[in-house]
């Protein structure tokens, strides 16, 4: 993990491998951003012109390297694009700062230390820059020789110092501490998502959660296959029936003595999804280790809440199973009796996420939390609707859905409110069981949300986040987002917990 520090020292006197400055896209060419005044002065005020000569425009994420001016202890200046120059009396958005810091950190892979002279007007800016740097520097190298990327032989940037951040100021210290806690847990979620399924199966994931619980004072309860059978968790058991790796239901409980509210987070944790008997075709199963991204997000958010000492009780439920075909696997046409007592006709074994979530949602409902939020890589239909960078938000309460979308926007995650049209419920009617696990093909993401709604306790506020699009980035990295597991929804869940603790949510 990249070390993060604050400093008010002069840029020229700090020993580092590089100094990072911001450059914005102006009407007549690149404009040097606030924070880089001392660096620009050392170039005799000509930094913008030099960058333009080198082809820089200030566009978002653009990175340009040039030799540092005489008298600086760092040998290189790295100019990172912040996008358009803000309107008069306005400042760069938090997300623009976060993305720029991420792009710079990734470009400096292999360096030991970098000094970031980017715009900081208050403690909040310092926090988002720290987030961007820590998330952008991320690399999954657990399976690489000597912990380095085999392609370029470079380890992640080891240390970042944020200039303009006041190291003795309480607000700045708190912002940095929050950024460290959230990004460390988000990057842990990324590690879990990227871990191959032969090493991350339900029992192994449960062991990771148990170890984290001991470290951070979180109570962890693990229901193994015997406990699941005794409890009647037909959905989780039905999905895991075809695998040699038995399913688990993990409960993580963070409690605060000052809490007056209780949130429950429920995560889909399919550690590998072959589709089961309804087997996925070649080209659709190679990245299915990521089908536990919802559980990873829930796990990370609960641990982050504990590390931050939030005054809210947060319970995380990880519904863990591996969906495989075999002689013991659930077949299309089978009927499962769920933990709630309802029966479900399984028409497609590749619609398995909703089955494990249904059991976990009903179990979570028994505790009567103030709200339940489930997170899942649930449907390809949501990807078709919203693309690869935006998650859908459904809820049984419009105001709650709006609050989640606003919280996501606040922390830099793209989301979109989606409806739950009641007319789509009829498509899941079954002549054999209480409900089928499939309905109309059109609007499949909404159908899945309606299915889950059936398993939420009466009177409980609930929302469903379908992160199928942004959970796993199969294209190139951008901003602070790497290729592979992204940790989607972690920051939104943490923010919702913070808002609840402050009495600003529900």
């Amino acid at each position: 993990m990249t070390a993060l520090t604050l400093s008010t020292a002069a840029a020229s006197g700090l020993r580092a491998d590089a100094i990072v400055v911001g450059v914005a896209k102006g009407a007549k060419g690149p404009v040097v951003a606030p924070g880089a005044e001392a660096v620009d002065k050392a170039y005799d005020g000509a930094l913008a012109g030099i960058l333009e000569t080198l082809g820089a425009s200030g566009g978002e994420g653009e990175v340009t390297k040039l030799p540092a001016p005489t008298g600086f202890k760092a040998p290189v200046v790295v100019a990172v694009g912040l996008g358009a120059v803000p309107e008069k009396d306005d400042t760069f958005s938090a997300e623009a700062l976060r993305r720029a810091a991420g792009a710079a950190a990734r470009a400096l892979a292999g360096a030991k230390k970098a000094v970031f002279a980017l715009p900081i007007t208050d403690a909040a800016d310092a926090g988002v820059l720290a987030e961007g740097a820590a998330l952008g520097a991320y690399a999954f190298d657990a399976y690489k020789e000597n912990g380095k990327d085999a392609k370029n032989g470079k380890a992640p940037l080891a240390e970042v110092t944020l200039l303009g951040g006041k190291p003795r100021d309480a607000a700045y210290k708190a912002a940095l501490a929050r950024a460290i806690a959230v990004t460390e847990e988000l990057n842990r979620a990324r590690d879990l998502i990227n871990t191959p399924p032969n090493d991350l199966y339900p029992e192994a994931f449960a062991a990771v959660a148990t170890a984290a619980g001991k470290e951070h004072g979180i109570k962890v309860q693990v229901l193994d296959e015997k406990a699941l059978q005794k409890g009647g968790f037909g959905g989780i058991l039905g999905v895991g029936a075809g695998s040699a790796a038995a399913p688990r239901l993990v409960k993580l409980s963070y409690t605060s003595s000052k809490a007056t509210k209780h949130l429950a987070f429920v995560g889909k944790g399919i550690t590998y999804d072959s589709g089961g008997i309804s087997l996925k075709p070649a080209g659709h199963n190679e990245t299915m280790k990521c089908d536990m991204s919802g559980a990873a997000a829930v796990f990370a958010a609960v641990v982050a809440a504990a590390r931050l000492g939030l005054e809210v009780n947060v319970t995380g439920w990880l519904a863990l199973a591996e969906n495989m075909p075999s002689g013991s696997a659930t077949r299309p046409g089978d009927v499962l009796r769920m933990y709630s007592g309802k029966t479900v006709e399984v028409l497609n074994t590749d619609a398995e996420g909703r089955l494990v979530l249904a059991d976990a949602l009903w179990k979570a409902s028994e505790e009567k939390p103030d709200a339940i939020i489930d997170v899942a890589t649930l449907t390809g239909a949501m990807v078709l609707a919203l693309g690869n960078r935006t998650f859908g938000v459904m809820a049984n309460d419009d105001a709650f859905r709006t609050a989640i979308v606003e919280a996501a926007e606040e922390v830099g995650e793209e989301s979109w409110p989606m409806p739950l049209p009641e007319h789509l419920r009829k498509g899941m009617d079954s002549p054999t069981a209480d409900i089928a696990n499939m309905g109309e093909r059109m609007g499949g993401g909404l159908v899945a949300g309606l299915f889950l709604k059936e398993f939420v306790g009466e009177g409980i506020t609930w929302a469903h986040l379908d992160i199928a699009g942004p959970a796993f980035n199969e294209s190139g990295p951008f901003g602070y987002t790497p290729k592979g597991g992204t940790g989607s929804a972690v920051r939104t869940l943490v923010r919702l917990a913070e808002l609840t603790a402050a009495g600003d949510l529900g």
Side-chain angles (χ1 to χ4, degrees):
M1 183 70 183
T2 303
L4 299 166
T5 58
L6 304 171
S7 177
T8 55
S12 59
L14 291 173
R15 295 188 181 278
D17 296 295
I19 294 178
V20 175
V21 299
V23 57
K25 193 171 187 177
K28 298 181 179 180
V31 176
V32 177
E37 292 85 355
V39 179
D40 187 29
K41 184 177 180 180
Y43 285 107
D44 295 324
L47 180 55
I50 295 171
L51 290 171
E52 186 172 23
T53 300
L54 293 173
S57 67
E60 182 182 306
E62 181 183 78
V63 175
T64 306
K65 297 181 180 181
L66 64 159
T70 302
F72 276 62
K73 292 183 177 180
V76 175
V77 168
V78 176
V80 62
L82 287 157
V85 172
E87 297 293 328
K88 186 179 180 181
D89 298 327
D90 205 354
T91 58
F92 291 100
S93 70
E95 186 62 4
L97 296 177
R98 197 182 281 114
R99 290 180 179 179
R106 186 173 57 256
L108 286 166
K112 291 183 179 180
K113 182 178 180 179
V115 173
F116 280 33
L118 293 170
I120 293 182
T121 57
D122 55 22
D125 286 347
V128 297
L129 287 173
E131 282 183 21
L135 297 177
Y138 172 84
F140 183 66
D141 51 21
Y143 292 81
K144 302 288 188 180
E145 186 177 2
N146 300 321
K148 294 181 180 180
D149 187 321
K151 185 176 180 179
N152 60 30
K154 296 179 180 179
L157 173 62
E159 182 182 351
V160 170
T161 295
L162 301 175
L163 285 191
K166 303 171 184 177
R168 292 184 176 85
D169 183 279
Y172 280 82
K173 289 165 69 175
L176 183 64
R178 181 192 183 278
I180 290 171
V182 173
T183 57
E184 284 185 351
E185 296 312 321
L186 192 153
N187 282 339
R188 180 173 8 201
R190 289 173 170 179
D191 282 347
L192 289 168
I193 297 164
N194 290 325
T195 298
N198 57 316
D199 282 343
L200 190 75
Y201 41 90
E203 185 179 2
F205 197 151
V208 172
T210 299
K214 291 179 180 178
E215 181 181 358
H216 297 291
I218 300 167
K219 184 179 179 181
V220 180
Q221 179 185 7
V222 179
L223 300 184
D224 62 14
E225 61 269 38
K226 291 182 180 179
L228 292 171
Q229 289 167 357
K230 184 177 180 180
F233 292 86
I236 297 174
L237 288 168
V239 173
S243 174
R248 296 286 187 271
L249 178 61
V250 180
K251 177 186 178 183
L252 301 103
S253 303
Y254 162 67
T255 57
S256 167
S257 61
K258 298 180 180 180
T260 59
K261 295 285 187 177
H262 176 200
L263 290 179
F265 298 153
V266 177
K268 172 188 172 184
I270 305 300
T271 56
Y272 180 74
D273 182 19
S274 70
I277 297 297
S278 306
L279 193 67
K280 293 180 185 289
H284 293 267
N285 55 18
E286 292 81 359
T287 61
M288 282 298 101
K289 65 181 181 180
C290 77
D291 214 19
M292 37 59 68
S293 296
V298 166
F299 166 61
V302 175
V303 177
R307 291 182 60 175
L308 294 172
L310 300 183
E311 295 178 1
V312 58
N313 293 335
V314 183
T315 304
W317 298 88
L318 316 181
L320 308 176
E322 186 176 66
N323 188 23
M324 295 290 284
S326 74
S328 60
T330 295
R331 298 157 289 243
D334 282 354
V335 173
L336 303 177
R337 186 170 295 278
M338 311 297 281
Y339 178 70
S340 69
K342 282 187 179 180
T343 55
V344 175
E345 182 180 11
V346 179
L347 299 180
N348 187 328
T349 64
D350 196 22
E352 83 300 328
R354 63 198 72 183
L355 299 175
V356 301
L357 285 172
D359 276 355
L361 283 168
W362 194 259
K363 184 65 175 174
S365 296
E366 290 181 342
E367 297 188 345
K368 305 293 184 183
D370 293 285
I372 299 175
I373 303 165
D374 77 70
V375 187
T377 47
L378 205 61
T379 65
M382 196 59 62
V383 185
L384 290 173
L386 299 179
N388 292 319
R389 297 191 184 184
T390 305
F391 62 76
V393 182
M394 287 154 267
N396 60 5
D397 180 288
D398 288 349
F400 189 55
R401 182 184 62 187
T402 298
I404 292 173
V405 172
E406 290 175 349
E409 182 179 10
E410 184 180 350
V411 297
E413 296 203 274
E414 297 180 39
S415 70
W416 196 257
M418 301 294 283
L420 289 171
E422 285 299 327
H423 70 270
L424 291 176
R425 169 61 182 84
K426 185 173 177 58
M428 290 184 283
D429 285 349
S430 166
T432 308
D434 295 320
I435 190 172
N437 77 327
M438 293 291 289
E440 293 183 29
R441 181 169 176 267
M442 299 302 172
L446 313 182
V447 170
L450 285 166
F451 180 91
L452 296 177
K453 184 181 177 184
E454 297 273 329
F455 296 90
V456 177
E458 186 176 354
I460 298 176
T461 301
W462 158 80
H464 162 56
L465 278 54
D466 190 338
I467 61 170
F472 196 83
N473 176 26
E474 295 187 59
S475 62
F478 58 93
Y480 52 85
T481 302
K483 186 179 177 68
T486 65
S488 177
V490 172
R491 289 177 293 145
T492 298
L493 293 179
V494 173
R495 187 61 188 141
L496 290 169
E498 290 175 325
L499 290 169
T500 303
D504 296 330
L505 186 72

